[in-house]
Each structure stands twice: as C-alpha cells, then as structure tokens.
Amino acid sequence: MRASFPRTFISALSVFLLSGSLFSQEKIEKYTISGYIKDAASGESAIGANVFIKELLKGTTTNQYGFYSFTADKGNYQLAVTYLGFEDHVQEIVLDQDLRINISLKTKTYIAKEIEVSSEKTDKNVSGSEMGTVQLEMKQIKGLPAFMGEVDILKTIQLLPGVKSAGDGNSGFYVRGGGPDQNLILLDEAVVYNASHLFGFFSVFNGDAVKSINLIKGGMPAQYGGRLASVLDITMIDGNNKSFHSEGGIGLISSRLTLQGPIKKDTGSFMVSGRRTYIDIVMKPFIKETSAFRGSGYHFYDLNTKLNYRLSDKDRLFFSGYFGRDVFTYSNKDSEFKVDIPWGNATTCLRWNHLFNDKLFMNTSAIFSDYKFEFGAEQSGFEFRLFSGITDWNAKADFSYFPSNLHNIKFGANYIYHIFVPSNASAKSGDVEFDLGDIIKQYAHESAIYFTDDFDVTEKIRINAGLRYSYFMQVGPFERYVKDLKGSTVDTISYKRFEKVKTYGGLEPRFSIRYAINKKSSVKASFTQNYQYIHLASLSAVALPTDIWVPSSELVKPQNGIQYAAGYFRNFKEDTYETSLEVYYKTMKNQVEYKEGSLPEDNVSDNADNSFTYGNGESYGAELFLKKRTGKFNGWIGYTLSWTTRQFPELNDGKTFYAKYDRRHDASVVLTYDLTERWSFSGIFVYGTGNAITLPVARYVFEERIVNQYGDRNSFRMAPYHRLDISATLQGKKHKKFQSSWNFSVFNVYNRHNPYFIYIATTGAVQTQDLVVQAKQVSLFPILPSVTWNFKW
C-alpha cells in the first residue's frame, strides 16, 4: 500500500494536468483594451467617461486621469465612449491582441429640439456598488444662484441630503452627524484644513480653476482615511494644451481671472487662476481722513496654479499649488489701537503617473499642506500676538490593477508627517520682550496601507471589499505638563527629538454590496470603520479660524467611527431620473470638546489637551434624493430626517444632549431651466430645523449681581431656517473667439430674517425695580441682489 501511493498520486496528477492543458487550449482568448479619454478642444482628461463594447454592454469608466482598461473576448466589436456634454464616439475594433486606444471627444453642439436628449445614458446610480457618493459638475454649479455673485462649491454640496449647513455666514458643513473636522477636504490630493474665507462667508475654491467635485458621505473606499464623516475630493483643471485661453468675471465684491495654455502643444499645459475681493479698495474713498477707523479693512485672495507634462504615453507629471489669505485689519487712531488678523492655506502637490502595462496604473504624489492663523494687537507701544497652525509633509503611492472585467483592484500606501502649533503667544513693549513660555509644537507620524477590490460575484451581485491599516505615533520634542485636580502643574515630562510619546493603530474594514433587482433598480448596503488621529478643538458653534488642530496623545484617544448604511436605488425613463432612499446609523467614540469655562488663551504655555473633555456620539437618519439629470429642465430635491446626539461624562451632568449641528428636518430644492440658447434660470429653496443652542432658563440676583441659570446643554432651538434664491443668466452673442454672460442673482428673495445667534439683553436695574431681560435674535443677510459679468476668450 505504501509503495503504490506515490504511483497513484502521480497518475492522478498527470490526468489533472493533461485535462487542464486541454481545457486551456479550448479556453476563449481574451485581450485588454486601454487608453486615455480627453477633450479634443482642450486636451483635458475626461473623468468618469463611459467606455464599453456595444455588443456586450461591458466596459468601465475612466479614472481621475482619464485612463481606462478592461478585458473582453476575442472578436470584432464596436467600441463606444459616452460623456455628458460631448458627442458619442463609436469605432470599429478587431480585438485579436491587446489594444491601446486614446480617444479625443468633441464637444456636443446642442440644438433647441435636441437638448432633451443626453449623450450619456448611464445607470451608475443603480449599477455601481458605491453608496452615498455624489459627483457634481461645475457647469451646473455656476448656473445656480450665488451669494454676492461668488460661485461657492461648499454651499452647493450643503444642498445635498445628509450634508448640513451651519447657517448664514458659514461654509463649514456637517455630514451625517459628524463635525467639520471629520470631513477630509482634498484639492488635487492636498488636504485643505480651513476651507473658508471671511469667517465662513465664502469657500476657498475658485470655481474657474475646478474641473470635478466628488463627495463621499457613506461607504468610504479604503484608499481614503484619517476622517470619520466624509471625503470631498476636488480636482483642478489641467489647462488647455491646444491653444491659449482666458476667462474670468467681475462682480460686486470680487473679480477673478484664469489663464491657461500649452507649454508644448499636445504635450504639456499650464493654468493660473487668481481671485481677490476689493471691498477695502471700494470703501476707502468713502472713509474720511479724520475718521477714527481710517486704515481698517478686510480682503481675501486666492491663487491656483497647475502644470502638467506628458513625458511619454506611459509617463506624465503634474504640479499643482494653491495659496490663499484672509487679511482683516482694524485701526482706531483716537486710541492708537490696531489689530491685524491674517490666516490662510498653502498647498502644493507633485504627481507622477506611470503605466506599467495595460492593466497596471500607478500614481505617486509628494504633497505639502499648511494652515496658519495669527492675531496681532498693538496699543501705545505694547504688542501682543497669538498664533496657531498645522503643517503636513505627505508622500503616497496608489496603484490600480485591472486583472479582468470582474475585478478592479486598488492598493497603496500613505505617509504624513504632522507639525502642530496649538495656541502660542508673544508680547513686547518697545524693546522689552515678555516671557510667555516657549513656542509649543507637537510632532506626529501617520501612515497607512490599503487594499480594495470592486468585483462582480454574479450579474446581480457586486461587492466592494477593502481593508486599511493605519498607524499613528506622536514623537518629541515635547513637554507634558502634568496637572492636579485643581489645574496646577505638578510635574513636567520631557521627550527628546524623535522619541516616542504615544502610538495608536488599527484595522479599518470597508465593505459595500449591491444587489440588482433589475436593470432599473437595486438595493445596496455598506459597512465602514474609520480612525481619526487629529482633532479640531472649537469653542464656537460655527467653524472659525481660531479653532486649533491637535494630535492624538496620551490624553486624546483617536476618534473611532463605525457606520452602517442601506439603500434602495431606482432610475426612471432611460436613466433620466435618479432616485434613492438611504438609511444610516453611525457611532463615534472619543469625541473632543473644551471643558466648561475653558478659553483659548488657557492653551498658552500649556498642553492644549489639558483643557479638553471626552465623550461619544451617535447619529442616525434617512435621506431621500430625486434628481433629473438631463433636459431643458433639471435639478434635484433632497430631504434628510436625522438625529445626532453626544454624551460626555463632564458635560451636561453626564446626560445625553443634542449636538449643536443636530437638525431634525433638512430639505432643499434645486431647479434650473434653459429657456433659450441665451437665457437660463435657476432657483434654490432650503428649509432646516433651527440649530440647537444653550440659553438661560432663569436668572436670580446674588449680592446685587445678576446670575444666569442655564438649562440642559443645547436644549433650546432657534427658529427654523428657510430661504429662497433665484438667478438668471444671459449669454452674450457668440463670437468666434470671445464669449460673455451676465448673471443676475437675488439672495433671500422674501427677506427672511434667519437667526445667526441669540443673546440676552438687559435694561434697567434691580435696585430701581425696572429690570427687563430679553432674548434678542441677530440676523445677517436681508434680501441681497448681485450681478456678475463673466467672459471667456
């Protein structure tokens, strides 16, 4: 028996190998089609274009660099490309070998009778495995009513279900119960830490420099990490590599100009875009020389730039950058008091695309991000400065592998070196400098690796499964100030340069599944777990530049979020209408808030985390979305029903309370209508439950002083927020090389006095027995008309 076993095994193995050889000879030959899709007029890459074989109805979509790759059986086919706003492209191919096919699409010329027919018949809403993902087009955003004529990407995404605004004067946004620090905002892969100008009135993104916007609020893919709530991925335009062009606009408060053109025709291009407000310049002549406020003012400016160069059909380089600043100055000549408050972001990114073969694509990036805030005051020779910020040095490599039509594999690694500068201060009087302690900086390393596969199990079941491992280490130099129960420093622990202070790490599984009921409808479900190692500490109910970023430490644990989501998706009338209903439940651990009574200056010469307290959060809700994609009349309706709570042992007596951005009902209606080739109209209506705030419930007199007695945290609701905006756009007469348009907008048409904040005012006195206490509401914007002239040549 022992001697016969090897011979039996070898015989069986020979039969198996022979049968495998015969099977492989009968196996149908398969070949790969790959290449790049771009705009024929400008050379811009087409992101999300559909590339497929008409006979098989099988294909793929292009990535953010316009690259596609898929595999099909040997044969003669028609290769088709569709992309919204461009003519369909169809060509005959003989697939008897691997093919590299680069395609340039022509812009579609719309005729009034044809405008109701779209060049893109897509069912991505139903067929894709992703959930909570929305892609927006700049053309549509630019057609919407704009506050003071400024096109605002962040205000537009706040019109989507599950995304909530903090109200007027704030471009911060809250996604599915998460805070503003839980949104990963990327501009050409670089993190933007403060995305607003003018204390939140405008966003930092110049619409003329932006090509695509992708928002992910649920089912976050494994290539993204470091935040709990959402990803806002914004891509800048590459620049026209065919010919030189310029475009811009002149509005009531700001102007902008964009220049683009080829470095070498069909090979490389550049783009430079600038924007500046001029309220300070316009108002200056109206302020008298004798005025005490002569020299006060405010302005902001942005500069976007991008270069790209194709080294070969397999290699391409990109360099992009952003620099923006807000500058607020106040000067009172009578008291010799001056204040200057500059703040802003700076980012740069160098990327290299490399195509190893038709199935393996790589992008490597070196990224720099910086955010700084500074407050300076001077009076009678005494100077005081308060400053904070965060700086990142980032390197990453991402790979896309297309082994077959059934699988789309992505994997990669990411590393970030963080430098945190919490609140620091300096002071001097003349030549005398006051010792306020050393400038406190904190340093940390953050890294991650990931793998994800988007694949078809059957024709009805599609799965996106991924796993991410993240690691975080705070390092020296660092000094830990140990406090007693009274808040006094009792010990100091010093860490040397690069010495480990604290480490964290963990697995982050990501999973989503789609089951196709039929070609028009599907159900989906997802599970997402995230770790967030950096935190934004804020004393205000709205995002302000004074908020500070801090790392996870011995005291601050990483935030941990788990989200479950499910939804039903259905398209109507050949995918003209998209509808979805999604429900979600999310838990958030290790949330950060300031302790009761803490102030920003408490962080000076101290560890910022000594002022924090920690707790957990919970959020759940339902989102309804109806969108008409094409035609003369299009837009969307969104509605969100949600609950968001927090529980901190040291806040609100340990009782659960509603988060400050909890909003029970949130609805938006966005409509656009093309009346003629020259006239188009749009309107926006929004409604939201009032923000949750804390107000006194009683007052009493103690030693001739009025003492407030507050109720439960965030137990009072401000009045509901609602507003109607309208706009009209008139296209100028078309010329061969010059185009122009006028945009007329009215913000807050029916002059709704929406609450910005509420304060308690008192008149009279206790002693005279005529004390009157009133809660008064402050509103920001009445009805505001605006006009902007846009041009392009």
Side-chain angles (χ1 to χ4, degrees):
M1 290 292 293
R2 290 180 180 177
S4 63
F5 172 75
R7 289 194 294 271
T8 304
F9 175 76
I10 292 172
S11 300
L13 181 60
S14 300
V15 172
F16 175 77
L17 292 175
L18 180 61
S19 63
S21 176
L22 293 172
F23 175 78
S24 63
Q25 291 176 8
E26 297 174 2
K27 191 176 180 181
I28 299 174
E29 296 179 69
K30 293 179 179 290
Y31 297 101
T32 299
I33 311 166
S34 64
Y36 292 87
I37 309 297
K38 60 183 179 179
D39 181 348
S42 66
E44 287 278 351
S45 56
I47 301 175
N50 297 305
V51 188
F52 60 95
I53 290 176
K54 297 188 78 172
E55 291 83 353
L56 304 176
L57 292 179
K58 297 288 186 180
T60 187
T61 58
T62 56
N63 66 12
Q64 69 181 100
Y65 302 101
F67 178 75
Y68 74 93
S69 176
F70 67 98
T71 302
D73 296 339
K74 178 181 178 180
N76 298 336
Y77 301 110
Q78 285 187 316
L79 179 67
V81 181
T82 63
Y83 192 48
L84 189 63
F86 290 82
E87 293 182 0
D88 292 354
H89 176 91
V90 180
Q91 71 179 74
E92 302 283 343
I93 61 170
V94 178
L95 191 58
D96 56 3
Q97 61 180 333
D98 291 340
L99 299 177
R100 178 74 55 81
I101 303 176
N102 298 328
I103 298 171
S104 296
L105 300 178
K106 296 180 180 179
T107 304
K108 186 168 186 178
T109 302
Y110 290 99
I111 303 174
K113 293 182 180 180
E114 297 178 347
I115 198 167
E116 297 179 1
V117 181
S118 168
S119 65
E120 182 186 32
K121 300 297 182 184
T122 178
D123 61 350
K124 295 177 188 176
N125 179 57
V126 171
S127 62
S129 60
E130 63 273 2
M131 290 187 65
T133 300
V134 181
Q135 292 181 338
L136 295 175
E137 302 166 21
M138 278 308 306
K139 182 179 179 181
Q140 186 175 27
I141 293 176
K142 288 182 176 182
L144 297 178
F147 173 68
M148 298 299 288
E150 277 296 311
V151 173
D152 197 317
I153 292 171
L154 294 190
K155 283 185 170 56
T156 302
I157 68 169
Q158 292 168 11
L159 302 172
L160 298 170
V163 185
K164 300 179 182 179
S165 162
D168 286 340
N170 198 315
S171 61
F173 60 100
Y174 309 92
V175 179
R176 291 186 173 179
D181 66 319
Q182 295 176 359
N183 302 312
L184 179 62
I185 303 176
L186 302 173
L187 180 63
D188 270 8
E189 298 191 0
V191 175
V192 177
Y193 279 100
N194 187 294
S196 66
H197 284 306
L198 190 53
F199 303 102
F201 288 89
F202 303 100
S203 77
V204 300
F205 304 112
N206 180 354
D208 288 347
V210 172
K211 177 163 62 175
S212 67
I213 303 107
N214 189 35
L215 174 68
I216 304 171
K217 54 184 177 172
M220 190 184 298
Q223 62 262 37
Y224 297 108
R227 302 293 189 276
L228 298 191
S230 74
V231 178
L232 180 62
D233 197 349
I234 300 173
T235 303
M236 289 196 289
I237 60 175
D238 296 333
N240 195 309
N241 66 14
K242 304 288 185 180
S243 57
F244 291 95
H245 293 269
S246 69
E247 66 177 303
I250 301 174
L252 295 178
I253 65 167
S254 69
S255 291
R256 61 191 191 279
L257 178 65
T258 301
L259 304 174
Q260 56 179 314
I263 299 173
K264 182 180 179 181
K265 191 172 182 180
D266 296 326
T267 303
S269 61
F270 74 92
M271 182 276 295
V272 179
S273 183
R275 178 178 60 160
R276 191 195 192 279
T277 57
Y278 33 69
I279 304 174
D280 54 330
I281 299 174
V282 173
M283 294 300 297
K284 189 174 181 179
F286 299 97
I287 302 176
K288 296 180 180 180
E289 290 286 345
T290 56
S291 172
F293 300 100
R294 183 76 176 180
S296 301
Y298 168 83
H299 69 274
F300 72 75
Y301 58 90
D302 296 304
L303 179 66
N304 297 76
T305 185
K306 191 168 184 178
L307 306 172
N308 77 91
Y309 198 87
R310 182 170 56 86
L311 302 175
S312 68
D313 197 35
K314 291 188 174 183
D315 296 279
R316 192 172 181 182
L317 291 176
F318 296 85
F319 176 83
S320 54
Y322 167 82
F323 183 83
R325 281 291 181 269
D326 289 67
V327 180
F328 174 78
T329 58
Y330 171 81
S331 177
N332 188 313
K333 289 184 177 180
D334 295 339
S335 61
E336 297 183 354
F337 179 65
K338 297 180 181 179
V339 171
D340 66 287
I341 310 176
W343 74 93
N345 302 274
T347 70
T348 57
C349 179
L350 177 63
R351 287 176 288 173
W352 170 42
N353 288 173
H354 179 67
L355 188 62
F356 288 96
N357 53 51
D358 294 332
K359 295 186 176 183
L360 183 59
F361 179 90
M362 178 191 72
N363 176 69
T364 58
S365 305
I367 306 165
F368 170 80
S369 297
D370 180 73
Y371 169 70
K372 286 185 172 63
F373 169 80
E374 191 170 339
F375 171 89
E378 181 181 352
Q379 186 173 28
S380 302
F382 178 77
E383 298 180 22
F384 174 79
R385 306 200 77 79
L386 184 71
F387 50 94
S388 62
I390 179 172
T391 301
D392 286 351
W393 298 90
N394 184 2
K396 61 196 293 282
D398 300 288
F399 297 84
S400 297
Y401 179 53
F402 310 92
S404 69
N405 272 356
L406 300 179
H407 294 268
N408 185 345
I409 296 173
K410 295 181 180 180
F411 58 96
N414 184 18
Y415 166 77
I416 307 173
Y417 179 56
H418 297 288
I419 304 174
F420 301 86
V421 184
S423 295
N424 287 271
S426 65
K428 69 176 183 177
S429 180
D431 296 330
V432 180
E433 295 190 3
F434 298 92
D435 185 9
L436 300 181
D438 296 332
I439 295 177
I440 296 177
K441 292 185 178 182
Q442 291 177 265
Y443 305 87
H445 302 279
E446 182 176 356
S447 58
I449 56 173
Y450 72 88
F451 177 91
T452 184
D453 187 9
D454 191 18
F455 61 97
D456 289 315
V457 179
T458 67
E459 286 191 1
K460 288 185 174 291
I461 299 175
R462 186 174 183 85
I463 290 176
N464 187 304
L467 185 63
R468 181 183 181 92
Y469 178 79
S470 58
Y471 178 80
F472 185 88
M473 178 170 63
Q474 184 191 0
V475 296
F478 175 67
E479 288 192 340
R480 162 62 62 192
Y481 299 103
V482 182
K483 304 286 184 176
D484 59 16
L485 295 177
K486 296 180 180 180
S488 300
T489 302
V490 295
D491 192 13
T492 300
I493 303 174
S494 297
Y495 295 89
K496 297 179 181 179
R497 183 178 176 87
F498 302 127
E499 183 179 357
K500 181 179 71 175
V501 178
K502 186 66 178 178
T503 61
Y504 296 98
L507 291 172
E508 303 176 31
R510 316 286 174 84
F511 179 85
S512 62
I513 183 171
R514 177 226 68 200
Y515 176 77
I517 300 172
N518 50 48
K519 291 183 178 181
K520 295 181 179 180
S521 61
S522 65
V523 291
K524 304 178 186 180
S526 69
F527 170 85
T528 307
Q529 180 172 348
N530 298 70
Y531 286 103
Q532 180 170 329
Y533 299 102
I534 64 175
H535 317 261
L536 184 67
S538 175
L539 284 168
S540 171
V542 296
L544 291 175
T546 51
D547 301 343
I548 62 169
W549 289 92
V550 295
S552 294
S553 64
E554 297 164 295
L555 302 182
V556 185
K557 303 296 189 294
Q559 298 180 56
N560 179 16
I562 295 178
Q563 181 178 194
Y564 307 87
Y568 173 71
F569 299 78
R570 181 174 175 83
N571 290 359
F572 298 91
K573 296 190 68 173
E574 295 182 322
D575 303 321
T576 299
Y577 294 89
E578 297 179 359
T579 62
S580 65
L581 174 64
E582 295 186 46
V583 295
Y584 67 90
Y585 174 76
K586 181 195 292 186
T587 59
M588 296 160 280
K589 295 182 179 180
N590 304 323
Q591 303 298 284
V592 176
E593 293 278 0
Y594 272 104
K595 295 177 181 178
E596 297 283 7
S598 295
L599 297 172
E601 55 265 29
D602 296 340
N603 299 328
V604 176
S605 299
D606 194 7
N607 302 131
D609 52 14
N610 283 327
S611 300
F612 299 159
T613 185
Y614 312 98
N616 298 322
E618 183 182 60
S619 179
Y620 52 93
E623 300 167 1
L624 177 65
F625 190 50
L626 168 63
K627 179 181 179 181
K628 185 175 184 292
R629 300 179 53 255
T630 60
K632 282 188 171 184
F633 184 76
N634 58 70
W636 70 78
I637 298 174
Y639 171 72
T640 305
L641 173 68
S642 63
W643 289 260
T644 302
T645 59
R646 296 289 186 268
Q647 193 276 322
F648 286 70
E650 296 184 358
L651 298 179
N652 201 46
D653 297 324
K655 295 181 292 183
T656 299
F657 58 90
Y658 289 115
K660 55 191 175 186
Y661 29 82
D662 171 74
R663 188 172 290 177
R664 193 69 60 249
H665 304 281
D666 193 82
S668 61
V669 180
V670 179
L671 301 174
T672 62
Y673 179 68
D674 296 321
L675 180 64
T676 66
E677 288 188 10
R678 297 188 63 191
W679 278 103
S680 61
F681 300 89
S682 64
I684 294 172
F685 176 76
V686 294
Y687 174 89
T689 303
N691 286 340
I693 61 173
T694 307
L695 289 177
V697 294
R699 283 187 159 194
Y700 59 91
V701 178
F702 179 74
E703 294 181 354
E704 298 187 352
R705 291 187 300 109
I706 299 174
V707 180
N708 294 318
Q709 180 178 335
Y710 287 88
D712 286 345
R713 192 179 183 96
N714 294 340
S715 58
F716 183 83
R717 290 280 178 178
M718 290 196 287
Y721 182 99
H722 52 88
R723 191 189 77 241
L724 173 67
D725 306 332
I726 59 174
S727 77
T729 301
L730 172 62
Q731 299 290 338
K733 292 183 179 180
K734 291 186 177 181
H735 299 276
K736 186 175 182 180
K737 292 187 177 181
F738 182 79
Q739 300 177 29
S740 66
S741 65
W742 288 91
N743 179 268
F744 308 92
S745 293
V746 181
F747 178 88
N748 196 7
V749 172
Y750 52 85
N751 200 30
R752 163 72 175 175
H753 291 175
N754 286 304
Y756 184 58
F757 66 84
I758 293 176
Y759 70 97
I760 305 299
T762 59
T763 57
V766 176
Q767 294 82 356
T768 56
Q769 298 184 350
D770 61 349
L771 177 68
V772 178
V773 180
Q774 288 182 312
K776 294 190 176 183
Q777 174 182 299
V778 175
S779 300
L780 284 182
F781 303 122
I783 181 172
L784 287 175
S786 63
V787 59
T788 304
W789 179 64
N790 300 298
F791 61 89
K792 181 186 294 185
W793 61 271

